[in-house]
Amino acid sequence: MHAQFRQFLCNSEQRNLGTTVRDAEEFAAWAMAAAGFFGRERLTAELVEFVRHNSLLAVVGASGSGKSSLVRAGLVSALQTGHPLPDGTTPPAGSAAWPVHIITPSSRPLESLAASLTPASEPVTAIARLIDDLASDPRSLHLTVRRLLSQSPNSPTHLLLIVDQFEELFTLCKDKAQRKAFVDNLLA
């Protein structure tokens, strides 16, 4: 699969709303943050339109420029509500049902990814197995997402994986093989 990148630069206060949307309480926190989110309508609409046609989006900007708030309170909120944006842009059909996983790579990016994607009802050994799979086969992320989507009760067509603080992959993770496996899985 060919990955495309797009760069969006913005100037706004950065917010941190959590790491994974798993329940209504966390979504409510996002909805409240989205209510106070303004001034990025055009960029939000561009992000919504971009994810309609692409499987990989990179939002890049200076530290503190509002990347996290644009993605979380802008893009995620727009996709989860499913309502048209002020400019008339409509989120992709079914996006309100897309599961959302937000991770930060930390010093162990494969562990962060595996922990986010492994259902809480699974034993810890399932996380360990997924870490091993991600390390050894770049198709593992794609296959795991396919399995998660097929098992989801509301039949979503996509899963939104947000890697916040991507620079941690280079500043905190000292294991080159783990960094490579993480990126290879994202790009596969």
Side-chain angles (χ1 to χ4, degrees):
M1 177 186 316
H2 178 69
Q4 296 184 17
F5 287 93
R6 177 130 185 209
Q7 185 172 9
F8 291 89
L9 300 176
C10 53
N11 300 314
S12 178
E13 181 179 323
Q14 192 170 19
R15 291 188 183 128
N16 186 347
L17 300 174
T19 56
T20 306
V21 176
R22 289 190 187 252
D23 58 34
E25 183 179 309
E26 289 184 43
F27 180 69
W30 281 20
M32 287 192 321
F37 181 75
F38 60 92
R40 299 289 177 255
E41 293 85 1
R42 182 184 58 77
L43 285 174
T44 298
E46 288 182 34
L47 292 177
V48 166
E49 198 56 38
F50 191 83
V51 299
R52 178 188 317 282
H53 303 290
N54 299 279
S55 62
L56 181 63
L57 166 70
V59 179
V60 180
S63 178
S65 64
K67 300 174 300 294
S68 292
S69 113
L70 174 63
V71 171
R72 295 174 188 221
L75 174 64
V76 172
S77 178
L79 294 173
Q80 294 285 294
T81 63
H83 300 305
L85 300 174
D87 73 345
T89 300
T90 56
S95 65
W98 294 0
V100 177
H101 294 261
I102 301 177
I103 69 163
T104 54
S106 75
S107 60
R108 297 183 186 117
L110 297 179
E111 180 179 310
S112 295
L113 186 55
S116 175
L117 295 174
T118 303
S121 60
E122 293 289 321
V124 175
T125 56
I127 297 172
R129 282 193 309 270
L130 183 51
I131 292 169
D132 293 343
D133 290 347
L134 292 165
S136 65
D137 188 340
R139 300 170 300 171
S140 296
L141 175 59
H142 171 77
L143 295 171
T144 299
V145 168
R146 271 189 72 165
R147 187 187 69 223
L148 288 172
L149 293 175
S150 72
Q151 295 172 348
S152 189
N154 50 2
S155 303
T157 57
H158 294 77
L159 179 144
L160 188 60
L161 174 64
I162 298 169
V163 181
D164 199 4
Q165 305 298 319
F166 189 80
E167 68 274 9
E168 288 183 3
L169 188 62
F170 303 97
T171 60
L172 298 180
C173 179
K174 304 304 178 198
D175 184 338
K176 289 181 183 181
Q178 196 169 147
R179 284 196 304 257
K180 181 179 182 340
F182 184 82
V183 171
D184 288 348
N185 272 276
L186 291 177
L187 296 176

